[in-house]
């Protein structure tokens, strides 16, 4: 979107805030700080002398997960460098839908040891595959580390001839993958009226998941207002249950859903927490992290917010790092959160192939002594990485893969893998914990 539209939207959002009585100097300053209006970009990779590797064959990977049982990384990547800048509904890029069909996206496996990527061949699947959020879950019928289900958002173009219909017909694709194989087998497409603008997924079982709808408006001035006005709490999280019937061709068949949570601004990234019932949600534009308790009944689920944290940049998909080498004196377990250092530029830069969008990656830990269920955390955020786009452009997901302290004279280190929806490659940086 043009910068003038952003300016007009900011004025409109300010007018709405004044009219509704929701304006205060603190919130305005916070928005300016989070979006990086006054921030100076730097590259800590260069200044700190960190070891960094750009991983080939990982274009525009929006989401990233570390599968502990197999020690492999799984990412949702684009099919070509050109496609992302031609058709990507999450950034209101609707210029050329044909690019989505010409170069469909893929699920890519990365070995964190040698940092090599391998796109999976998708069996039984054809058509556009415009990737966004994904999640993985072990196949309960096999031993951990042997096979997984992969849930993936697909922002395919809408083939409906109705001009009033949304331009994107977004659905969820389900795949099954045997660890070590070169393929992922398509199981079914999941479609429901409540899945409107899906962003990220949290798989609960092989036949149920949570998915965030990050916006109410798909495009236009109101969409921009929705981004810049923190009072636009119109996004939601949906709980979905479905059945697998290999003979059924209807994408909506045997799919049930309910609204699990409303009332957040730009409900975006979604991830697992510290316990099986803790769900972590991120408001991307507001830089807020929400901790929620999952409550399930027969056929339905709801989320109850129990705690929150405000970061100093925009944020995206969260991941939880469990420190396998934790001891009584040091435990690096915590949430890893990636975002934009100057998010204010994203709307203008999104259609530019060679634009620069800096990144910030945070390590969020709870320092409170009382960690019983329902207690509030004492949150501390440490900046792991700040890059001015010298190495990577945009950051939407990051994970930590630790190294054995015995091989580094007892030093606590890890490889930080970062990926971005506008980056030509994934980045791996060796950092100290």
């Amino acid at each position: 979107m043009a910068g003038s539209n952003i300016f007009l939207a900011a004025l409109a959002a300010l007018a709405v805030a004044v009219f509704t009585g929701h304006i205060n100097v603190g919130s305005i300053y916070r928005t300016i700080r989070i979006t990086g209006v006054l921030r100076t970009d730097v590259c800590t990779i260069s200044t700190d002398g960190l070891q960094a590797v750009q991983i080939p064959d990982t274009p525009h990977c929006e989401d990233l997960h570390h599968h502990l049982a197999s020690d492999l990384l799984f990412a949702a990547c684009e099919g070509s460098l050109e496609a992302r800048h031609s058709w990507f509904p999450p950034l209101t890029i609707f210029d050329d839908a044909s690019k989505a069909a010409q170069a469909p996206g893929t699920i890519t496996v990365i070995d964190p040891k040698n940092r090599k990527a391998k796109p999976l061949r998708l069996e039984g699947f054809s058509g556009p595959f415009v990737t966004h959020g994904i999640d993985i879950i072990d196949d309960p019928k096999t031993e951990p580390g042997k096979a997984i289900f992969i849930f993936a958002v697909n922002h395919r173009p809408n083939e409906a001839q109705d001009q009033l219909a949304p331009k994107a017909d977004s659905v969820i694709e389900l795949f099954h993958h045997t660890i070590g194989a070169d393929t992922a087998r398509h199981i079914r497409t999941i479609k429901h009226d409540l899945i409107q603008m899906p962003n990220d997924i949290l798989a609960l079982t092989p036949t149920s998941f949570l998915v965030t709808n990050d916006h109410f408006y798909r495009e236009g001035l109101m969409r921009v207002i929705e981004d810049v006005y923190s009072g636009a709490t119109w996004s939601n999280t949906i709980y979905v249950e479905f059945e697998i019937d290999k003979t059924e061709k209807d994408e909506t068949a045997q799919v049930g859903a309910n609204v699990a949570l409303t009332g957040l601004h730009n409900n975006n990234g979604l991830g697992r927490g510290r316990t099986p019932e803790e769900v972590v949600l991120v408001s991307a534009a507001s830089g807020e992290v929400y901790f929620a308790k999952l409550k399930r009944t027969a056929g339905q689920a709801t989320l109850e917010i129990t705690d929150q944290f405000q970061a100093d940049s925009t944020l995206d998909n969260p991941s939880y790092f469990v420190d396998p080498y934790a001891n009584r004196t040091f435990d690096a377990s915590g949430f890893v959160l990636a975002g934009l250092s100057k998010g204010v530029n994203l709307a203008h830069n999104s259609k530019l192939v060679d634009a620069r969008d800096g990144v910030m990656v945070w390590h969020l830990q709870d320092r409170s002594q009382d960690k019983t269920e329902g207690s509030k955390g004492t949150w501390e955020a440490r900046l792991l990485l700040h890059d001015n786009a010298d190495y990577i452009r945009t950051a939407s997901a990051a994970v930590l893969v630790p190294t054995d302290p015995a091989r580094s004279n007892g030093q606590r280190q890890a490889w930080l893998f970062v990926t971005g929806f506008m980056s030509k490659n994934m980045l791996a940086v060796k950092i100290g914990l």
Side-chain angles (χ1 to χ4, degrees):
M1 291 184 182
S4 59
N5 280 355
I6 297 174
F7 178 70
L8 289 174
L11 290 179
L14 181 62
V16 170
V18 171
F19 180 77
T20 59
H22 292 152
I23 185 172
N24 64 76
V25 175
S27 63
I28 293 175
Y29 174 73
R30 171 164 171 71
T31 299
I32 291 173
R33 187 175 80 251
I34 291 170
T35 56
V37 174
L38 305 178
R39 181 176 287 127
T40 300
D41 260 345
V42 298
C43 180
T44 55
I45 296 175
S46 300
T47 58
D48 295 347
L50 301 177
Q51 182 181 349
V53 179
Q54 292 172 314
I55 302 175
D57 303 317
T58 54
H60 303 155
C61 303
E62 200 277 342
D63 203 2
L64 176 67
H65 290 272
H66 183 205
H67 184 231
L68 292 176
S70 64
D71 193 27
L72 294 173
L73 305 177
F74 290 82
C77 303
E78 190 55 270
S80 73
L81 294 175
E82 182 184 14
R84 180 59 37 111
H85 298 280
S86 302
W87 176 269
F88 193 52
L91 289 180
T92 66
I93 301 175
F94 301 105
D95 293 346
D96 189 350
S98 67
K99 300 297 183 184
Q102 293 170 9
T106 188
I107 305 299
T108 298
V109 182
I110 302 97
D111 186 336
K113 295 184 180 66
N114 60 24
R115 293 168 291 282
K116 291 184 177 180
K118 179 181 68 176
L120 296 178
R121 181 167 51 86
L122 305 180
E123 289 185 339
F125 180 83
S126 61
F129 187 27
V130 183
T131 60
H132 200 172
I134 63 168
D135 198 18
I136 57 178
I137 189 170
D138 282 300
D139 183 345
K141 295 182 180 180
T142 64
E143 296 179 10
K146 297 296 184 181
I148 59 173
F149 287 96
I150 305 171
F151 293 76
V153 171
N154 181 7
H155 293 291
R156 63 189 186 185
N158 198 337
E159 296 181 354
Q161 299 301 314
D162 183 0
Q163 293 187 354
L164 296 179
K167 295 177 181 177
D169 181 25
S170 300
V171 294
I172 309 300
E173 309 291 359
L174 177 64
F175 299 92
H176 186 271
H177 170 66
T178 300
I179 300 298
D182 295 328
T183 62
R185 177 170 50 89
H186 188 244
I187 303 298
R188 72 161 292 177
T189 298
I190 302 148
K191 184 174 180 177
H192 194 278
D193 288 343
L194 290 178
I195 304 174
Q196 298 170 347
M197 280 176 281
N199 184 302
D200 202 9
I201 305 175
L202 177 62
L204 300 175
T205 71
T207 56
S208 66
F209 59 90
L210 294 167
V211 58
T212 53
N213 286 312
D214 56 22
H215 287 82
F216 180 81
Y217 291 95
R218 297 175 185 269
E219 57 183 317
L221 187 59
M222 286 301 296
R223 164 65 176 248
V224 186
I225 291 175
E226 195 174 356
D227 280 332
V228 301
Y229 175 46
S230 60
T233 55
W234 309 323
S235 57
N236 58 29
T237 299
I238 306 300
Y239 172 74
V240 181
E241 274 191 0
F242 61 96
E243 294 184 21
I244 297 175
D245 184 349
K246 296 180 181 179
T247 64
E248 180 60 68
K249 302 301 181 182
D250 183 357
E251 298 173 345
T252 65
Q254 304 175 46
V255 179
N258 72 272
V259 178
L261 179 68
T262 59
L264 300 186
H265 175 227
N266 194 205
N267 192 357
N268 194 291
L270 184 63
R272 289 176 174 78
R274 296 158 290 182
T275 68
E277 301 306 315
E278 184 176 60
V279 174
V280 184
L281 305 103
V282 169
S283 167
S286 291
E288 293 179 325
V289 186
Y290 294 92
F291 303 89
K293 183 177 181 180
L294 175 65
K295 297 182 178 181
R296 279 179 279 192
T297 57
Q300 293 203 335
T302 58
L303 292 169
E304 177 187 347
I305 301 297
T306 58
D307 200 2
Q308 68 183 89
F309 171 80
Q310 294 186 334
D312 285 331
S313 71
T314 64
L315 299 174
D316 214 315
N317 303 322
S319 67
Y320 186 62
F321 168 64
V322 179
D323 185 357
Y325 303 106
N327 53 46
R328 292 183 179 180
T329 59
F330 186 81
D331 185 352
S333 300
F335 295 94
V336 184
L337 297 148
L340 305 177
S341 56
K342 297 181 76 69
V344 66
N345 297 330
L346 180 61
H348 174 266
N349 291 350
S350 61
K351 294 184 181 181
L352 305 178
V353 175
D354 295 319
R356 295 173 64 87
D357 294 284
V359 312
M360 301 180 85
V361 182
W362 303 90
H363 187 203
L364 181 63
Q365 293 182 282
D366 183 5
R367 298 301 191 185
S368 63
Q369 297 299 316
D370 182 10
K371 291 184 172 63
T372 57
E373 185 176 355
S375 62
K376 300 292 184 181
T378 303
W379 297 102
E380 178 182 286
R382 171 196 170 202
L383 184 62
L384 294 178
L385 177 70
H386 186 173
D387 180 40
N388 59 0
D390 279 357
Y391 289 83
I392 188 169
R393 176 187 174 187
T394 69
S396 47
V399 299
L400 284 170
V401 179
T403 60
D404 188 346
R407 298 184 178 182
S408 56
N409 297 320
Q411 296 183 45
R412 299 301 311 277
Q413 297 177 326
W415 280 96
L416 174 66
F417 290 85
V418 188
T419 192
F421 50 89
M422 286 291 169
S423 181
K424 296 177 181 178
N425 54 263
M426 192 182 299
L427 175 68
V429 184
K430 197 171 188 179
I431 64 168
L433 294 173

